[in-house]
Amino acid sequence: MGPYVKGRRRERHVAKMGPGVVVTGLTLGALAVVSLLAFQANGAQDRAGGAKPVASTTTSSGPAASATPSASATPTVPPLPATSGSGTRVVYSIGSHYVWLVDPKKSPQVAPGFAVTPGSVEPAPGSYSVYSRTPSTTGTDGRQIEHVVRFAQQNGVVFGFSAAVDGATPTADSNAKTGGIRSGRPEGQLLWDFAPNGTKVVVVA
């Protein structure tokens, strides 16, 4: 009876423990399945959300709405006045304070104009000729000037083109009568090379 009883006790023990183990295993399996389904559901939701277009946050004032680049700040050169005469000449406009160098033998005939700063007195409109040139001297304002090209004298005022050695083109002193027409140094060199004595200078209004 001893072995039989011992064996029965083991069977009852296994029978008692067996269902619990099975239930535990089923519970763990069910939890694993639920977790897997939840994970897959979250992944699907993430993928679906990722496919949605993202609204742009760029405002109208951002880089995408930048204005068209502005035009060049380079000043526009006025055209050569129609009343400037003919032939090889230096043309000076009192109204626009520009100078043009015109040579019909060259192409283009008209060199690009350049701005100048007049003295306190302007020459009268008309046709003149270069009568005197000085490589360098002192201007009426005390500055060192170069490439002086004189073309007229009126009421004791000498009119001519020149350039300050320091490159300055200050506004003339209205308390003094001066006829110096100042340009930049590169432009002064161009005019000096272009206008020897006898060159026509046409002054227009």
Side-chain angles (χ1 to χ4, degrees):
M1 292 299 290
Y4 175 77
V5 172
K6 186 176 182 181
R8 294 287 291 179
R9 288 178 179 175
R10 279 201 301 269
E11 288 176 358
R12 285 198 300 270
H13 178 73
V14 171
K16 185 183 294 186
M17 296 300 294
V21 173
V22 172
V23 171
T24 301
L26 291 175
T27 302
L28 292 177
L31 289 175
V33 171
V34 171
S35 299
L36 177 60
L37 291 176
F39 175 78
Q40 290 177 344
N42 289 334
Q45 184 177 0
D46 291 342
R47 288 193 297 273
K52 295 180 181 179
V54 179
S56 174
T57 58
T58 302
T59 63
S60 59
S61 61
S66 59
T68 302
S70 59
S72 173
T74 302
T76 302
V77 178
L80 177 70
T83 58
S84 67
S86 61
T88 300
R89 62 201 184 278
V90 176
V91 180
Y92 169 54
S93 170
I94 296 173
S96 61
H97 295 148
Y98 259 79
V99 169
W100 297 264
L101 308 179
V102 186
D103 187 350
K105 298 178 181 179
K106 294 183 179 180
S107 181
Q109 297 183 12
V110 183
F114 53 86
V116 292
T117 302
S120 60
V121 181
E122 295 277 21
S127 181
Y128 306 90
S129 295
V130 175
Y131 71 87
S132 175
R133 288 160 43 101
T134 302
S136 61
T137 186
T138 301
T140 54
D141 58 358
R143 294 178 183 274
Q144 287 298 116
I145 58 176
E146 62 184 2
H147 300 144
V148 183
V149 178
R150 304 177 186 87
F151 61 87
Q153 294 185 48
Q154 296 173 358
N155 300 322
V157 179
V158 177
F159 296 95
F161 304 103
S162 63
V165 174
D166 62 4
T169 54
T171 302
D173 183 1
S174 60
N175 296 320
K177 290 185 176 182
T178 59
I181 302 171
R182 296 280 174 85
S183 69
R185 295 189 72 184
E187 292 77 15
Q189 181 70 60
L190 286 174
L191 198 149
W192 175 267
D193 295 339
F194 181 86
N197 285 335
T199 302
K200 183 192 298 186
V201 177
V202 179
V203 178
V204 297

Short mmCIF file of all heavy atoms in Angstrom, two decimals, residues 95-159:
data_model
loop_
_atom_site.label_atom_id
_atom_site.label_comp_id
_atom_site.label_asym_id
_atom_site.label_seq_id
_atom_site.Cartn_x
_atom_site.Cartn_y
_atom_site.Cartn_z
N GLY A 95 22.38 122.23 -66.08
CA GLY A 95 21.21 121.70 -65.41
C GLY A 95 21.46 120.39 -64.68
O GLY A 95 21.00 120.19 -63.56
N SER A 96 22.20 119.47 -65.31
CA SER A 96 22.43 118.15 -64.70
C SER A 96 23.81 117.99 -64.09
O SER A 96 24.08 117.00 -63.41
CB SER A 96 22.23 117.05 -65.75
OG SER A 96 23.15 117.20 -66.81
N HIS A 97 24.68 118.99 -64.31
CA HIS A 97 26.06 118.93 -63.80
C HIS A 97 26.75 117.64 -64.24
O HIS A 97 27.31 116.91 -63.43
CB HIS A 97 26.10 119.08 -62.28
CG HIS A 97 25.62 120.42 -61.81
ND1 HIS A 97 24.97 120.60 -60.61
CD2 HIS A 97 25.69 121.65 -62.40
CE1 HIS A 97 24.66 121.88 -60.47
NE2 HIS A 97 25.08 122.54 -61.54
N TYR A 98 26.68 117.39 -65.55
CA TYR A 98 27.34 116.24 -66.16
C TYR A 98 28.24 116.71 -67.29
O TYR A 98 28.01 117.76 -67.89
CB TYR A 98 26.29 115.25 -66.72
CG TYR A 98 26.06 114.07 -65.82
CD1 TYR A 98 25.24 114.19 -64.70
CD2 TYR A 98 26.65 112.85 -66.07
CE1 TYR A 98 25.03 113.11 -63.86
CE2 TYR A 98 26.44 111.76 -65.25
CZ TYR A 98 25.63 111.90 -64.14
OH TYR A 98 25.42 110.83 -63.31
N VAL A 99 29.24 115.89 -67.55
CA VAL A 99 30.17 116.17 -68.65
C VAL A 99 30.22 114.95 -69.56
O VAL A 99 30.24 113.81 -69.09
CB VAL A 99 31.59 116.48 -68.11
CG1 VAL A 99 32.61 116.50 -69.25
CG2 VAL A 99 31.60 117.82 -67.39
N TRP A 100 30.21 115.18 -70.87
CA TRP A 100 30.36 114.12 -71.87
C TRP A 100 31.55 114.44 -72.76
O TRP A 100 31.81 115.62 -73.07
CB TRP A 100 29.12 114.01 -72.76
CG TRP A 100 27.86 113.64 -72.07
CD1 TRP A 100 27.31 112.40 -71.96
CD2 TRP A 100 26.95 114.51 -71.39
NE1 TRP A 100 26.13 112.43 -71.27
CE2 TRP A 100 25.87 113.72 -70.90
CE3 TRP A 100 26.94 115.90 -71.14
CZ2 TRP A 100 24.82 114.26 -70.18
CZ3 TRP A 100 25.88 116.44 -70.42
CH2 TRP A 100 24.84 115.62 -69.95
N LEU A 101 32.27 113.43 -73.16
CA LEU A 101 33.39 113.58 -74.09
C LEU A 101 32.94 112.97 -75.41
O LEU A 101 32.67 111.78 -75.48
CB LEU A 101 34.63 112.88 -73.55
CG LEU A 101 35.04 113.25 -72.10
CD1 LEU A 101 36.27 112.47 -71.68
CD2 LEU A 101 35.27 114.75 -71.96
N VAL A 102 32.91 113.80 -76.45
CA VAL A 102 32.35 113.36 -77.74
C VAL A 102 33.43 113.40 -78.82
O VAL A 102 34.07 114.43 -79.03
CB VAL A 102 31.17 114.26 -78.17
CG1 VAL A 102 30.52 113.70 -79.44
CG2 VAL A 102 30.14 114.37 -77.05
N ASP A 103 33.62 112.28 -79.50
CA ASP A 103 34.57 112.18 -80.61
C ASP A 103 33.93 111.37 -81.72
O ASP A 103 33.83 110.15 -81.63
CB ASP A 103 35.87 111.51 -80.16
CG ASP A 103 36.95 111.54 -81.24
OD1 ASP A 103 36.63 111.90 -82.39
OD2 ASP A 103 38.09 111.19 -80.92
N PRO A 104 33.47 112.02 -82.80
CA PRO A 104 32.79 111.32 -83.90
C PRO A 104 33.65 110.26 -84.58
O PRO A 104 33.12 109.37 -85.26
CB PRO A 104 32.45 112.45 -84.88
CG PRO A 104 32.42 113.69 -84.03
CD PRO A 104 33.50 113.47 -83.02
N LYS A 105 34.95 110.32 -84.40
CA LYS A 105 35.85 109.35 -85.05
C LYS A 105 35.93 108.04 -84.28
O LYS A 105 36.50 107.07 -84.78
CB LYS A 105 37.25 109.95 -85.19
CG LYS A 105 37.31 111.20 -86.06
CD LYS A 105 38.72 111.75 -86.10
CE LYS A 105 38.79 113.03 -86.95
NZ LYS A 105 40.15 113.61 -86.97
N LYS A 106 35.38 108.02 -83.06
CA LYS A 106 35.45 106.81 -82.24
C LYS A 106 34.10 106.12 -82.19
O LYS A 106 33.07 106.68 -82.54
CB LYS A 106 35.90 107.16 -80.82
CG LYS A 106 37.33 107.68 -80.74
CD LYS A 106 37.74 107.94 -79.30
CE LYS A 106 39.17 108.44 -79.20
NZ LYS A 106 39.57 108.68 -77.79
N SER A 107 34.13 104.86 -81.81
CA SER A 107 32.90 104.09 -81.65
C SER A 107 32.92 103.42 -80.27
O SER A 107 33.80 102.58 -80.00
CB SER A 107 32.78 103.02 -82.74
OG SER A 107 31.59 102.29 -82.61
N PRO A 108 32.02 103.79 -79.38
CA PRO A 108 30.96 104.79 -79.56
C PRO A 108 31.52 106.21 -79.58
O PRO A 108 32.61 106.46 -79.06
CB PRO A 108 30.05 104.57 -78.36
CG PRO A 108 30.97 104.05 -77.30
CD PRO A 108 31.97 103.17 -78.02
N GLN A 109 30.78 107.11 -80.19
CA GLN A 109 31.23 108.49 -80.30
C GLN A 109 31.23 109.22 -78.97
O GLN A 109 32.07 110.10 -78.73
CB GLN A 109 30.34 109.26 -81.29
CG GLN A 109 30.39 108.74 -82.72
CD GLN A 109 29.54 109.58 -83.66
OE1 GLN A 109 29.08 110.66 -83.32
NE2 GLN A 109 29.32 109.07 -84.86
N VAL A 110 30.31 108.84 -78.10
CA VAL A 110 30.15 109.52 -76.82
C VAL A 110 30.64 108.62 -75.69
O VAL A 110 30.16 107.50 -75.53
CB VAL A 110 28.67 109.89 -76.57
CG1 VAL A 110 28.54 110.66 -75.26
CG2 VAL A 110 28.13 110.70 -77.74
N ALA A 111 31.64 109.12 -74.97
CA ALA A 111 32.12 108.37 -73.81
C ALA A 111 31.09 108.49 -72.69
O ALA A 111 30.33 109.48 -72.66
CB ALA A 111 33.47 108.93 -73.36
N PRO A 112 31.01 107.50 -71.80
CA PRO A 112 30.05 107.60 -70.70
C PRO A 112 30.24 108.91 -69.93
O PRO A 112 31.35 109.31 -69.62
CB PRO A 112 30.39 106.40 -69.83
CG PRO A 112 31.00 105.42 -70.77
CD PRO A 112 31.77 106.25 -71.75
N GLY A 113 29.10 109.59 -69.66
CA GLY A 113 29.18 110.85 -68.94
C GLY A 113 29.57 110.66 -67.49
O GLY A 113 29.48 109.56 -66.94
N PHE A 114 29.99 111.70 -66.86
CA PHE A 114 30.32 111.62 -65.43
C PHE A 114 29.88 112.90 -64.74
O PHE A 114 29.84 113.99 -65.34
CB PHE A 114 31.81 111.35 -65.21
CG PHE A 114 32.74 112.31 -65.91
CD1 PHE A 114 33.11 113.52 -65.33
CD2 PHE A 114 33.26 112.00 -67.17
CE1 PHE A 114 33.98 114.39 -65.98
CE2 PHE A 114 34.13 112.87 -67.83
CZ PHE A 114 34.49 114.07 -67.22
N ALA A 115 29.54 112.76 -63.48
CA ALA A 115 29.05 113.89 -62.68
C ALA A 115 30.20 114.77 -62.26
O ALA A 115 31.33 114.31 -62.04
CB ALA A 115 28.29 113.38 -61.47
N VAL A 116 29.90 116.05 -62.12
CA VAL A 116 30.89 117.03 -61.66
C VAL A 116 30.24 117.92 -60.62
O VAL A 116 29.01 117.96 -60.49
CB VAL A 116 31.43 117.88 -62.83
CG1 VAL A 116 32.26 117.04 -63.78
CG2 VAL A 116 30.28 118.56 -63.58
N THR A 117 31.08 118.64 -59.87
CA THR A 117 30.60 119.60 -58.89
C THR A 117 31.05 120.99 -59.32
O THR A 117 32.26 121.24 -59.39
CB THR A 117 31.17 119.28 -57.48
OG1 THR A 117 30.78 117.96 -57.11
CG2 THR A 117 30.66 120.26 -56.45
N PRO A 118 30.11 121.87 -59.63
CA PRO A 118 30.49 123.19 -60.13
C PRO A 118 30.97 124.13 -59.04
O PRO A 118 30.81 123.84 -57.84
CB PRO A 118 29.19 123.70 -60.76
CG PRO A 118 28.13 123.08 -59.90
CD PRO A 118 28.65 121.71 -59.56
N GLY A 119 31.54 125.24 -59.44
CA GLY A 119 31.90 126.27 -58.49
C GLY A 119 30.67 127.06 -58.09
O GLY A 119 29.54 126.68 -58.41
N SER A 120 30.87 128.18 -57.43
CA SER A 120 29.73 128.99 -56.99
C SER A 120 29.12 129.79 -58.13
O SER A 120 28.01 130.30 -58.01
CB SER A 120 30.18 129.94 -55.87
OG SER A 120 31.22 130.81 -56.34
N VAL A 121 29.84 129.89 -59.26
CA VAL A 121 29.36 130.62 -60.43
C VAL A 121 29.40 129.68 -61.63
O VAL A 121 30.38 128.95 -61.81
CB VAL A 121 30.21 131.88 -60.69
CG1 VAL A 121 29.67 132.65 -61.89
CG2 VAL A 121 30.24 132.78 -59.46
N GLU A 122 28.37 129.72 -62.46
CA GLU A 122 28.31 128.88 -63.65
C GLU A 122 28.65 129.71 -64.90
O GLU A 122 28.30 130.90 -64.97
CB GLU A 122 26.91 128.28 -63.82
CG GLU A 122 26.48 127.32 -62.74
CD GLU A 122 26.99 125.90 -62.98
OE1 GLU A 122 27.98 125.74 -63.73
OE2 GLU A 122 26.40 124.97 -62.41
N PRO A 123 29.30 129.10 -65.88
CA PRO A 123 29.55 129.82 -67.14
C PRO A 123 28.26 129.98 -67.93
O PRO A 123 27.33 129.19 -67.77
CB PRO A 123 30.55 128.91 -67.86
CG PRO A 123 30.23 127.54 -67.34
CD PRO A 123 29.85 127.73 -65.91
N ALA A 124 28.20 130.98 -68.76
CA ALA A 124 27.02 131.18 -69.60
C ALA A 124 27.00 130.12 -70.69
O ALA A 124 28.05 129.70 -71.18
CB ALA A 124 27.05 132.58 -70.22
N PRO A 125 25.80 129.65 -71.08
CA PRO A 125 25.73 128.67 -72.17
C PRO A 125 26.36 129.22 -73.44
O PRO A 125 26.25 130.40 -73.75
CB PRO A 125 24.22 128.46 -72.34
CG PRO A 125 23.65 128.79 -71.00
CD PRO A 125 24.48 129.93 -70.49
N GLY A 126 27.04 128.35 -74.16
CA GLY A 126 27.69 128.77 -75.39
C GLY A 126 28.82 127.83 -75.77
O GLY A 126 29.02 126.78 -75.12
N SER A 127 29.56 128.20 -76.81
CA SER A 127 30.68 127.38 -77.30
C SER A 127 31.99 128.08 -76.99
O SER A 127 32.17 129.28 -77.27
CB SER A 127 30.54 127.18 -78.81
OG SER A 127 31.58 126.36 -79.29
N TYR A 128 32.93 127.34 -76.41
CA TYR A 128 34.23 127.87 -76.00
C TYR A 128 35.34 126.94 -76.51
O TYR A 128 35.06 125.90 -77.12
CB TYR A 128 34.31 127.98 -74.48
CG TYR A 128 33.18 128.78 -73.85
CD1 TYR A 128 32.00 128.14 -73.45
CD2 TYR A 128 33.30 130.14 -73.65
CE1 TYR A 128 30.96 128.86 -72.87
CE2 TYR A 128 32.26 130.87 -73.07
CZ TYR A 128 31.09 130.22 -72.69
OH TYR A 128 30.07 130.94 -72.12
N SER A 129 36.58 127.33 -76.22
CA SER A 129 37.73 126.49 -76.57
C SER A 129 38.69 126.45 -75.40
O SER A 129 38.85 127.44 -74.66
CB SER A 129 38.46 127.05 -77.80
OG SER A 129 37.64 127.00 -78.94
N VAL A 130 39.34 125.32 -75.21
CA VAL A 130 40.36 125.19 -74.17
C VAL A 130 41.52 126.12 -74.53
O VAL A 130 42.05 126.05 -75.63
CB VAL A 130 40.85 123.74 -74.06
CG1 VAL A 130 42.00 123.64 -73.05
CG2 VAL A 130 39.70 122.81 -73.66
N TYR A 131 41.87 126.99 -73.58
CA TYR A 131 42.95 127.93 -73.86
C TYR A 131 44.14 127.79 -72.91
O TYR A 131 45.22 128.37 -73.16
CB TYR A 131 42.43 129.38 -73.81
CG TYR A 131 42.07 129.87 -72.42
CD1 TYR A 131 43.03 130.45 -71.58
CD2 TYR A 131 40.78 129.77 -71.94
CE1 TYR A 131 42.71 130.89 -70.32
CE2 TYR A 131 40.45 130.21 -70.68
CZ TYR A 131 41.42 130.78 -69.87
OH TYR A 131 41.10 131.23 -68.60
N SER A 132 43.97 127.05 -71.83
CA SER A 132 45.07 126.91 -70.86
C SER A 132 44.93 125.60 -70.10
O SER A 132 43.81 125.17 -69.77
CB SER A 132 45.05 128.10 -69.89
OG SER A 132 46.04 127.93 -68.88
N ARG A 133 46.08 124.99 -69.83
CA ARG A 133 46.09 123.72 -69.08
C ARG A 133 47.24 123.76 -68.08
O ARG A 133 48.32 124.26 -68.38
CB ARG A 133 46.29 122.53 -70.03
CG ARG A 133 45.10 122.21 -70.90
CD ARG A 133 45.45 121.40 -72.14
NE ARG A 133 46.38 120.30 -71.91
CZ ARG A 133 46.04 119.00 -71.80
NH1 ARG A 133 44.76 118.63 -71.90
NH2 ARG A 133 46.96 118.08 -71.62
N THR A 134 46.99 123.23 -66.88
CA THR A 134 48.01 123.17 -65.84
C THR A 134 47.97 121.80 -65.20
O THR A 134 46.91 121.36 -64.73
CB THR A 134 47.77 124.25 -64.76
OG1 THR A 134 47.75 125.54 -65.37
CG2 THR A 134 48.86 124.19 -63.70
N PRO A 135 49.11 121.09 -65.19
CA PRO A 135 49.13 119.73 -64.60
C PRO A 135 48.71 119.70 -63.14
O PRO A 135 47.95 118.83 -62.72
CB PRO A 135 50.57 119.27 -64.79
CG PRO A 135 51.08 120.10 -65.92
CD PRO A 135 50.42 121.43 -65.77
N SER A 136 49.22 120.64 -62.35
CA SER A 136 48.85 120.68 -60.92
C SER A 136 49.07 122.08 -60.37
O SER A 136 49.96 122.82 -60.81
CB SER A 136 49.70 119.68 -60.12
OG SER A 136 51.07 120.00 -60.20
N THR A 137 48.24 122.44 -59.40
CA THR A 137 48.33 123.75 -58.78
C THR A 137 47.48 123.74 -57.51
O THR A 137 46.99 122.68 -57.09
CB THR A 137 47.85 124.85 -59.74
OG1 THR A 137 48.09 126.14 -59.15
CG2 THR A 137 46.37 124.71 -60.07
N THR A 138 47.29 124.91 -56.92
CA THR A 138 46.43 125.05 -55.74
C THR A 138 45.14 125.74 -56.14
O THR A 138 45.16 126.78 -56.82
CB THR A 138 47.12 125.88 -54.65
OG1 THR A 138 48.35 125.24 -54.28
CG2 THR A 138 46.24 125.98 -53.40
N GLY A 139 44.02 125.16 -55.76
CA GLY A 139 42.72 125.72 -56.12
C GLY A 139 42.38 126.92 -55.26
O GLY A 139 43.06 127.22 -54.25
N THR A 140 41.31 127.63 -55.63
CA THR A 140 40.88 128.79 -54.86
C THR A 140 40.42 128.41 -53.46
O THR A 140 40.35 129.26 -52.57
CB THR A 140 39.73 129.51 -55.59
OG1 THR A 140 38.68 128.58 -55.86
CG2 THR A 140 40.22 130.11 -56.91
N ASP A 141 40.10 127.12 -53.25
CA ASP A 141 39.69 126.67 -51.92
C ASP A 141 40.87 126.17 -51.09
O ASP A 141 40.70 125.66 -49.98
CB ASP A 141 38.63 125.57 -52.03
CG ASP A 141 39.13 124.37 -52.83
OD1 ASP A 141 40.28 124.40 -53.34
OD2 ASP A 141 38.35 123.40 -52.96
N GLY A 142 42.08 126.32 -51.63
CA GLY A 142 43.28 125.92 -50.90
C GLY A 142 43.68 124.47 -51.08
O GLY A 142 44.72 124.03 -50.57
N ARG A 143 42.89 123.68 -51.79
CA ARG A 143 43.21 122.27 -52.03
C ARG A 143 44.18 122.13 -53.19
O ARG A 143 44.17 122.93 -54.13
CB ARG A 143 41.94 121.47 -52.33
CG ARG A 143 40.97 121.36 -51.18
CD ARG A 143 39.73 120.60 -51.60
NE ARG A 143 38.73 120.53 -50.54
CZ ARG A 143 38.70 119.61 -49.60
NH1 ARG A 143 39.61 118.64 -49.60
NH2 ARG A 143 37.78 119.60 -48.66
N GLN A 144 44.97 121.07 -53.12
CA GLN A 144 45.83 120.74 -54.25
C GLN A 144 44.97 120.12 -55.34
O GLN A 144 44.23 119.17 -55.09
CB GLN A 144 46.93 119.77 -53.83
CG GLN A 144 48.02 120.38 -52.97
CD GLN A 144 48.76 121.49 -53.71
OE1 GLN A 144 48.71 122.66 -53.31
NE2 GLN A 144 49.43 121.14 -54.80
N ILE A 145 45.06 120.67 -56.56
CA ILE A 145 44.27 120.16 -57.67
C ILE A 145 45.19 119.79 -58.83
O ILE A 145 46.35 120.23 -58.89
CB ILE A 145 43.21 121.18 -58.14
CG1 ILE A 145 43.89 122.49 -58.57
CG2 ILE A 145 42.19 121.43 -57.04
CD1 ILE A 145 42.91 123.52 -59.14
N GLU A 146 44.67 118.97 -59.73
CA GLU A 146 45.45 118.52 -60.88
C GLU A 146 44.59 118.50 -62.13
O GLU A 146 43.36 118.59 -62.07
CB GLU A 146 46.01 117.12 -60.61
CG GLU A 146 44.93 116.06 -60.40
CD GLU A 146 45.49 114.70 -60.03
OE1 GLU A 146 46.72 114.58 -59.89
OE2 GLU A 146 44.69 113.76 -59.88
N HIS A 147 45.27 118.38 -63.29
CA HIS A 147 44.59 118.27 -64.58
C HIS A 147 43.59 119.42 -64.79
O HIS A 147 42.42 119.20 -65.08
CB HIS A 147 43.88 116.91 -64.69
CG HIS A 147 44.81 115.76 -64.60
ND1 HIS A 147 44.48 114.58 -63.99
CD2 HIS A 147 46.10 115.62 -65.03
CE1 HIS A 147 45.51 113.74 -64.05
NE2 HIS A 147 46.51 114.35 -64.69
N VAL A 148 44.09 120.63 -64.65
CA VAL A 148 43.27 121.83 -64.81
C VAL A 148 43.15 122.16 -66.30
O VAL A 148 44.16 122.36 -66.98
CB VAL A 148 43.86 123.02 -64.05
CG1 VAL A 148 42.95 124.24 -64.18
CG2 VAL A 148 44.08 122.66 -62.58
N VAL A 149 41.92 122.22 -66.79
CA VAL A 149 41.64 122.52 -68.20
C VAL A 149 40.72 123.74 -68.23
O VAL A 149 39.52 123.64 -67.97
CB VAL A 149 40.97 121.32 -68.91
CG1 VAL A 149 40.64 121.67 -70.36
CG2 VAL A 149 41.88 120.09 -68.85
N ARG A 150 41.25 124.92 -68.58
CA ARG A 150 40.47 126.16 -68.57
C ARG A 150 39.91 126.44 -69.96
O ARG A 150 40.58 126.23 -70.97
CB ARG A 150 41.36 127.32 -68.12
CG ARG A 150 42.03 127.10 -66.76
CD ARG A 150 42.95 128.24 -66.39
NE ARG A 150 43.70 127.98 -65.16
CZ ARG A 150 44.86 127.33 -65.12
NH1 ARG A 150 45.40 126.88 -66.26
NH2 ARG A 150 45.47 127.14 -63.97
N PHE A 151 38.67 126.97 -69.97
CA PHE A 151 38.03 127.21 -71.27
C PHE A 151 37.31 128.56 -71.37
O PHE A 151 36.89 128.95 -72.46
CB PHE A 151 37.03 126.10 -71.59
CG PHE A 151 35.89 125.97 -70.60
CD1 PHE A 151 34.73 126.73 -70.75
CD2 PHE A 151 35.98 125.10 -69.53
CE1 PHE A 151 33.68 126.62 -69.85
CE2 PHE A 151 34.93 124.99 -68.63
CZ PHE A 151 33.77 125.75 -68.79
N ALA A 152 37.14 129.30 -70.26
CA ALA A 152 36.43 130.58 -70.35
C ALA A 152 36.77 131.50 -69.18
O ALA A 152 37.18 131.03 -68.11
CB ALA A 152 34.92 130.34 -70.39
N GLN A 153 36.59 132.82 -69.42
CA GLN A 153 36.71 133.83 -68.38
C GLN A 153 35.53 134.79 -68.53
O GLN A 153 35.30 135.32 -69.61
CB GLN A 153 38.02 134.62 -68.51
CG GLN A 153 39.26 133.80 -68.27
CD GLN A 153 40.52 134.65 -68.29
OE1 GLN A 153 40.57 135.71 -67.64
NE2 GLN A 153 41.54 134.19 -68.99
N GLN A 154 34.82 135.01 -67.44
CA GLN A 154 33.66 135.89 -67.48
C GLN A 154 33.57 136.69 -66.19
O GLN A 154 33.55 136.10 -65.10
CB GLN A 154 32.37 135.07 -67.67
CG GLN A 154 32.30 134.32 -68.99
CD GLN A 154 31.10 133.39 -69.08
OE1 GLN A 154 30.31 133.25 -68.15
NE2 GLN A 154 30.96 132.71 -70.21
N ASN A 155 33.55 137.99 -66.32
CA ASN A 155 33.44 138.88 -65.16
C ASN A 155 34.49 138.59 -64.10
O ASN A 155 34.20 138.58 -62.89
CB ASN A 155 32.03 138.80 -64.55
CG ASN A 155 30.95 139.18 -65.53
OD1 ASN A 155 31.12 140.11 -66.33
ND2 ASN A 155 29.82 138.46 -65.48
N GLY A 156 35.68 138.32 -64.54
CA GLY A 156 36.78 138.09 -63.62
C GLY A 156 36.84 136.68 -63.04
O GLY A 156 37.72 136.37 -62.23
N VAL A 157 35.94 135.81 -63.45
CA VAL A 157 35.90 134.42 -62.95
C VAL A 157 36.44 133.50 -64.04
O VAL A 157 36.01 133.58 -65.20
CB VAL A 157 34.49 134.00 -62.56
CG1 VAL A 157 34.49 132.54 -62.07
CG2 VAL A 157 33.93 134.91 -61.48
N VAL A 158 37.38 132.65 -63.68
CA VAL A 158 37.96 131.68 -64.62
C VAL A 158 37.21 130.35 -64.48
O VAL A 158 37.07 129.84 -63.36
CB VAL A 158 39.46 131.47 -64.34
CG1 VAL A 158 40.02 130.40 -65.28
CG2 VAL A 158 40.22 132.79 -64.51
N PHE A 159 36.77 129.83 -65.62
CA PHE A 159 36.05 128.55 -65.62
C PHE A 159 36.93 127.45 -66.22
O PHE A 159 37.55 127.64 -67.28
CB PHE A 159 34.76 128.66 -66.42
CG PHE A 159 33.78 129.63 -65.83
CD1 PHE A 159 33.72 130.95 -66.29
CD2 PHE A 159 32.93 129.24 -64.80
CE1 PHE A 159 32.82 131.85 -65.74
CE2 PHE A 159 32.03 130.13 -64.24
CZ PHE A 159 31.98 131.45 -64.71
#
